[in-house]
Amino acid sequence: MINYDNKKKILLIDDNIDLLNSMASYLISENFKVHITTNGYNALQNLEIIQPDLIITDIIMPNIDGYELVQKIRSEQNQNNIPIIFLTAKGMTPDRILGYNLGCNAYLTKPFYPEELISIINNIFKYIEVWKENLNKNTQETKKQDEKENSVFDSLTSREYNILLLVTKGYTNKEIAYKLKSSLRNIEKYVSRLLNKTQTRNRTELTKLTLLNGFNKIKGE
């Protein structure tokens, strides 16, 4: 049994009430949760309440047409990612280009086969799922990398921290040796060890990695 609350929510907008009801019935039979309205103004007023997963809208409508509707939706930060399908009799290439430039995700010209509309909807949702999976994967990989880098800095000795701090501030090995009253050869060994521990190739990469991980982590500064 399908949980109604887990169904994808689709908002249909068209001033042709017969077509609107026909599409709604078909989408409901395909296990979607459907909200309908006959104009763009009502759609905008109830967008926050409905929170649709996808919008299907006509272009030629009174008061607010489909183009203006898309512009308004795309201008709202918390709504600009809602996928939008234009369903319209306007099938000329310039009309399509305008729709895509404004931010619609797909364009279906009337008359159409309901099966084609379902295919477009399913492909959009499939793309979103893949995008979310990749985003989650990249986020996890970035988190693991950050944890790895943080563990490297946490493992440094007090002497290594002091030298790293000076390297980050742009001191040369000779200047570090003088400041810490150590031999140049000894400082070179420490810098080489820092490069190996952080898996960086040179002082520039070492400095960049240090700054990216938070300069305040170095000796509490």
Side-chain angles (χ1 to χ4, degrees), residues 13 39-41 44 55-74 84-88 90 98-99 102-104 107:
I13 312 164
N39 64 81
Y41 179 78
L44 290 173
I55 296 172
I56 301 173
T57 180
D58 190 16
I59 289 182
I60 303 176
M61 297 182 294
N63 300 321
I64 298 177
D65 66 17
Y67 295 135
E68 186 178 356
L69 176 66
V70 171
Q71 284 181 303
K72 289 182 179 297
I73 292 174
R74 292 293 181 244
I84 299 173
I85 298 174
F86 270 151
L87 187 65
T88 179
K90 293 174 70 66
L98 176 59
L102 290 174
C104 80
Y107 212 116

Side-chain angles (χ1 to χ4, degrees), residues 14-162:
D14 199 308
D15 58 346
N16 184 329
I17 191 65
D18 292 330
L19 178 61
L20 197 62
N21 289 330
S22 177
M23 283 195 298
S25 296
Y26 188 81
L27 290 171
I28 290 171
S29 72
E30 292 292 320
N31 295 317
F32 292 107
K33 187 176 181 179
V34 179
H35 297 268
I36 64 173
T37 182
T38 57
N39 64 81
Y41 179 78
N42 286 340
L44 290 173
Q45 290 293 104
N46 293 284
L47 209 55
E48 286 285 350
I49 298 172
I50 298 172
Q51 295 185 343
D53 298 297
L54 183 141
I55 296 172
I56 301 173
T57 180
D58 190 16
I59 289 182
I60 303 176
M61 297 182 294
N63 300 321
I64 298 177
D65 66 17
Y67 295 135
E68 186 178 356
L69 176 66
V70 171
Q71 284 181 303
K72 289 182 179 297
I73 292 174
R74 292 293 181 244
S75 67
E76 295 293 330
Q77 187 172 2
N78 61 337
Q79 300 168 353
N80 59 14
N81 289 324
I82 303 173
I84 299 173
I85 298 174
F86 270 151
L87 187 65
T88 179
K90 293 174 70 66
M92 299 297 290
T93 299
D95 297 323
R96 291 176 179 270
I97 292 173
L98 176 59
Y100 287 128
N101 286 340
L102 290 174
C104 80
N105 299 81
Y107 212 116
L108 191 58
T109 305
K110 302 174 185 176
F112 62 92
Y113 289 102
E115 294 84 359
E116 184 178 2
L117 176 61
I118 295 300
S119 294
I120 292 173
I121 292 171
N122 288 335
N123 280 335
I124 288 176
F125 285 141
K126 187 184 297 182
Y127 173 82
I128 292 173
E129 287 304 314
V130 171
W131 178 80
K132 285 181 178 179
E133 288 177 5
N134 290 335
L135 180 63
N136 185 52
K137 181 180 178 181
N138 291 337
T139 300
Q140 290 179 348
E141 290 177 353
T142 300
K143 183 179 179 182
K144 289 180 181 179
Q145 182 64 26
D146 289 342
E147 291 174 349
K148 179 180 178 182
E149 291 171 354
N150 287 335
S151 66
V152 168
F153 286 107
D154 292 339
S155 68
L156 299 182
T157 66
S158 177
R159 187 69 164 177
E160 289 170 337
Y161 267 124
N162 289 333

